[in-house]
């Protein structure tokens, strides 16, 4: 069922229920009003006839004759007059006797002074009527034909109004739902036009303050993220293909040259060394791409624990020196012995943090003349701070701007081998841990990386 149909039915059902309750309430109030009005009319008629009889203005036979004659054409009121000791003085039609008075009724009238009651479709009253110092019991009963005819006419009118009103409500609800949901149809049509080849299209926001405007804004924001991710994926695939093509081409060329003719052992050995170097380059590139993929995980998918940055950096230093014997890494601990170790302890993943700091320190060593890096560990406020500095070539303003762009190689890229992955990977890992990373560099005066990670101390 479409939302338009569901809204129409719900709107119709709710309004129909309210409409039905209102019509029933009108009918019940009308019935109550008719009932009370007829009781007052009975009382008035009873007093009139009783007064005529007791004052001897009209004799009993005449009154009974008038009653019987009128009864043929109208719903005449049947009146009876009794003494307080239940002696009947007058009755309009004793043979018909609607009320059928008894001693219990007379006693009830004497006690309450006035009663109202129903006898089937008839209404009746009983009252104490004082006349010339004496009390009399007067009863009256009749059928409210005129009132019931009006009530039946009202009932028919209300039923017709309910049916007509319900039909109009359904039609109005359908068109109201159609008009209300028409913008959603437009949004759906616009969304269908957004394809891979036209992912830059966006939904038009007509009113940013209503719900549909908020929906369009949220959808456009989603499209922005998807477009960014899609473009990043295309760039990633393109760059990876390009980066892998070079070592693969070199490796293939070495194999082809080696197979062209017989060569000496030394020549084969040299060819194998070149192929080994190309294979290692590919391995480092693939490792960097895998680590980059891990850095794109959600924080909730990565195991975190307390990590002491001083111990982590000692491990990083040992790892770098083992791989590069000519590198020099100096660690400086700026906190005193009495300071809390938790000030340089953060919550993180040791493996990823190891990769990030290794890339940053190796970058210092690569581009400095003496292949050295000075690493300082300190804290400031809620942050543990690691500063890695070198006295190397430095970077231009343009290189600093694109330093963390994937596969970007700066103007001094010829000074050292690399693939443009390490800086991007380091930034992703630091941001994944809720930290900050900044670079300060001037050409000819070296480069400094400053990493801030929240510590666990309160």
């Amino acid at each position: 069922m479409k939302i338009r149909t569901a809204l129409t039915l719900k709107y119709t059902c709710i309004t129909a229920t309210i409409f039905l309750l209102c019509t029933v309430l009108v009918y019940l109030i009308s019935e109550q009003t008719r009932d009370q009005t007829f009781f007052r009319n009975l009382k008035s008629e009873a007093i009139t006839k009783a007064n005529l009889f007791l004052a001897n203005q009209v004799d009993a036979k005449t009154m009974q004759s008038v009653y019987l004659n009128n009864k043929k054409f109208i719903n005449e009121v049947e009146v009876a007059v009794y003494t307080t000791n239940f002696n009947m003085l007058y009755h309009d039609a004793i043979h018909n006797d609607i009320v059928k008075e008894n001693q219990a009724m007379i006693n009830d009238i004497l006690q309450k002074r006035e009663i109202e009651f129903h006898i089937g479709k008839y209404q009746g009253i009983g009252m104490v009527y004082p006349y010339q110092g004496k009390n009399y019991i007067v009863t009256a009963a009749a059928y409210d034909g005129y009132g019931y005819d009006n009530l039946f006419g009202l009932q028919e009118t209300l039923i017709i109004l309910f049916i007509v009103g319900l039909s109009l409500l359904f039609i109005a609800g359908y068109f109201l739902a159609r008009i209300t949901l028409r913008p959603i149809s437009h949004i759906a049509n616009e969304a269908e036009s957004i394809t891979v080849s036209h992912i830059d299209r966006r939904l038009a926001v007509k009113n940013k303050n209503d719900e549909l405007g908020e929906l369009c804004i949220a959808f456009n924001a989603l499209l922005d993220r998807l477009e960014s991710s899609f473009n990043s994926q295309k760039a990633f695939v393109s760059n990876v293909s390009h980066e892998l093509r070079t070592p693969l081409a070199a490796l293939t060329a070495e194999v082809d040259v080696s197979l062209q003719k017989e060569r000496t052992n030394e020549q084969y050995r040299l060819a194998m060394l070149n192929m080994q170097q190309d294979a290692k380059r590919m391995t480092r590139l693939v490792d960097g791409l895998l680590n980059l993929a891990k850095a794109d995980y959600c924080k909730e998918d990565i195991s975190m624990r307390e990590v002491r940055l001083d111990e982590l950096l000692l491990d990083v230093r040992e790892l770098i020196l083992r791989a590069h014997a000519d590198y020099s890494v100096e660690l400086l601990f700026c906190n005193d012995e009495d300071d809390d170790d938790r000030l340089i302890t953060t919550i993180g993943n040791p493996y990823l943090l190891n990769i990030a700091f290794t890339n940053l320190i190796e970058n210092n060593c690569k581009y400095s003349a003496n292949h050295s890096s000075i690493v300082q560990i300190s804290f400031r406020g809620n942050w543990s701070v690691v500063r890695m500095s070198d006295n190397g070539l430095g970077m231009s303003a343009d290189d600093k701007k694109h330093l963390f762009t994937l596969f970007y190689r700066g103007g001094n890229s010829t000074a050292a081998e690399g693939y443009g992955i390490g800086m991007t990977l380091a930034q992703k890992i630091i941001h994944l841990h809720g930290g900050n990373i900044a670079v300060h560099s001037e050409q000819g005066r070296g480069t400094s990386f400053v990493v801030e990670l929240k510590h666990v101390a309160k």
Side-chain angles (χ1 to χ4, degrees):
M1 181 183 295
K2 288 191 174 182
I3 295 178
R4 178 173 57 197
T5 306
L7 282 177
T8 303
L9 293 176
K10 290 178 181 178
Y11 170 78
T12 304
C13 289
I14 292 173
T15 51
T17 302
I18 297 173
F19 193 16
L20 179 62
L21 290 175
C22 291
T23 54
V24 170
L25 185 62
V26 168
Y27 180 82
L28 292 177
I29 292 174
S30 299
E31 163 61 17
Q32 183 69 18
T33 302
R34 181 210 61 77
D35 195 65
Q36 295 301 318
T37 300
F38 193 65
F39 276 130
R40 288 194 296 271
N41 292 338
L42 283 177
K43 182 178 179 181
S44 176
E45 188 74 17
I47 291 173
T48 300
K49 282 192 174 183
N51 191 60
L52 288 174
F53 172 76
L54 294 173
N56 292 319
Q57 294 181 5
V58 180
D59 61 85
K61 288 184 178 181
T62 302
M63 291 176 61
Q64 288 172 345
S65 176
V66 171
Y67 169 78
L68 294 174
N69 290 331
N70 288 343
K71 191 171 178 60
K72 297 177 182 178
F73 307 101
I74 62 174
N75 296 302
E76 183 65 31
V77 179
E78 179 185 287
V79 177
V81 181
Y82 293 86
T83 62
T84 54
N85 56 3
F86 196 30
N87 289 324
M88 185 176 68
L89 300 178
Y90 172 79
H91 202 296
D92 276 330
I94 189 64
H95 59 281
N96 191 38
D97 196 11
I98 299 171
V99 178
K100 295 180 174 58
E101 299 86 347
N102 52 40
Q103 187 63 54
M105 179 182 290
I106 298 300
N107 294 338
D108 191 31
I109 295 172
L110 288 172
Q111 182 181 358
K112 297 179 179 178
R113 308 296 293 179
E114 185 175 329
I115 63 172
E116 296 175 349
F117 51 89
H118 291 83
I119 306 170
K121 62 181 181 178
Y122 292 91
Q123 290 177 235
I125 65 161
M127 56 181 292
V128 175
Y129 178 66
Y131 183 79
Q132 293 183 355
K134 291 184 179 181
N135 288 332
Y136 297 90
I137 303 297
V138 179
T139 63
Y143 173 72
D144 186 14
Y146 177 77
Y148 278 114
D149 288 342
N150 288 337
L151 194 64
F152 182 73
L154 176 63
Q155 182 180 357
E156 288 184 332
T157 302
L158 290 176
I159 292 173
I160 294 172
L161 283 175
F162 180 76
I163 295 173
V164 174
L166 189 61
S167 302
L168 293 176
L169 284 173
F170 181 83
I171 296 171
Y174 177 80
F175 282 103
L176 181 63
R178 185 175 180 179
I179 293 172
T180 303
L181 295 176
R182 185 176 297 165
I184 296 180
S185 299
H186 293 161
I187 292 174
N189 293 333
E190 289 183 25
E192 288 180 355
S193 67
I194 300 174
T195 60
V196 174
S197 57
H198 297 94
I199 199 170
D200 57 328
R201 292 182 179 175
R202 296 294 180 268
L203 300 179
V205 181
K206 295 183 179 179
N207 184 359
K208 65 180 181 180
N209 295 320
D210 64 12
E211 288 78 1
L212 292 179
E214 293 175 354
L215 176 63
C216 290
I217 291 172
F219 193 78
N220 288 339
L222 174 62
L223 288 175
D224 289 338
R225 295 192 295 271
L226 287 175
E227 183 180 11
S228 176
S229 177
F230 184 72
N231 291 336
S232 297
Q233 184 182 23
K234 288 200 299 184
F236 181 81
V237 172
S238 176
N239 291 326
V240 167
S241 300
H242 179 269
E243 293 295 331
L244 285 176
R245 186 183 297 114
T246 301
L248 280 173
L251 185 61
T252 303
E254 289 290 343
V255 173
D256 290 341
V257 170
S258 300
L259 294 175
Q260 282 179 1
K261 62 180 180 178
E262 291 291 332
R263 297 180 180 274
T264 63
N265 291 338
E266 185 62 28
Q267 289 175 328
Y268 277 123
R269 183 175 181 277
L270 180 61
M272 293 294 289
L273 287 174
N274 291 335
M275 286 188 283
Q276 182 187 45
Q277 185 178 3
D278 292 334
K280 286 182 177 179
R281 290 180 61 195
M282 290 180 59
T283 301
R284 287 194 297 270
L285 178 59
V286 171
D287 286 342
L289 295 174
L290 290 175
N291 289 327
L292 191 65
K294 291 179 182 178
D296 284 329
Y297 290 168
C298 293
K299 188 174 182 179
E300 293 76 13
D301 297 333
I302 299 175
S303 60
M304 299 282 191
R305 63 179 178 84
E306 288 190 3
V307 180
R308 282 190 54 166
L309 293 177
D310 54 349
E311 295 177 353
L312 178 74
L313 290 169
L314 285 171
D315 293 338
V316 170
R317 177 178 180 273
E318 182 180 352
L319 181 65
I320 292 174
L321 296 181
R322 190 185 306 132
H324 307 280
D326 58 332
Y327 283 6
S328 173
V329 180
E330 183 180 358
L331 298 180
L332 300 177
F333 301 97
C334 298
N335 58 318
D336 298 330
E337 293 182 358
D338 294 336
D339 288 330
D340 192 346
D341 290 334
R342 293 179 299 172
L343 295 171
I344 56 171
T345 301
T346 189
I347 300 297
N349 182 276
Y351 173 76
L352 292 177
L353 289 175
N354 189 301
I355 293 173
F357 285 116
T358 297
N359 287 334
L360 294 172
I361 295 172
E362 281 189 338
N363 193 82
N364 282 151
C365 296
K366 282 181 184 179
Y367 297 103
S368 62
N370 57 356
H371 299 300
S372 66
S373 176
I374 300 175
V375 183
Q376 295 176 302
I377 307 173
S378 60
F379 56 85
R380 180 177 65 252
N382 295 326
W383 301 92
S384 298
V385 182
V386 180
R387 185 183 186 91
M388 293 146 284
S389 307
D390 65 60
N391 57 356
L393 301 175
M395 288 181 281
S396 65
D398 190 59
D399 286 345
K400 282 174 58 178
K401 182 179 178 181
H402 298 93
L403 177 64
F404 298 111
T405 302
L406 185 61
F407 295 118
Y408 177 78
R409 300 299 308 281
N412 56 4
S413 60
T414 56
E417 183 182 359
Y419 303 98
I421 297 176
M423 293 299 97
T424 305
L425 179 57
Q427 184 191 50
K428 284 181 176 290
I429 292 174
I430 297 303
H431 287 171
L432 182 66
H433 286 75
N436 303 311
I437 182 170
V439 58
H440 307 283
S441 182
E442 292 183 28
Q443 284 188 313
R445 302 189 63 178
T447 301
S448 295
F449 297 103
V450 180
V451 174
E452 296 178 332
L453 295 169
K454 283 193 175 181
H455 57 63
V456 299
K458 301 297 184 182

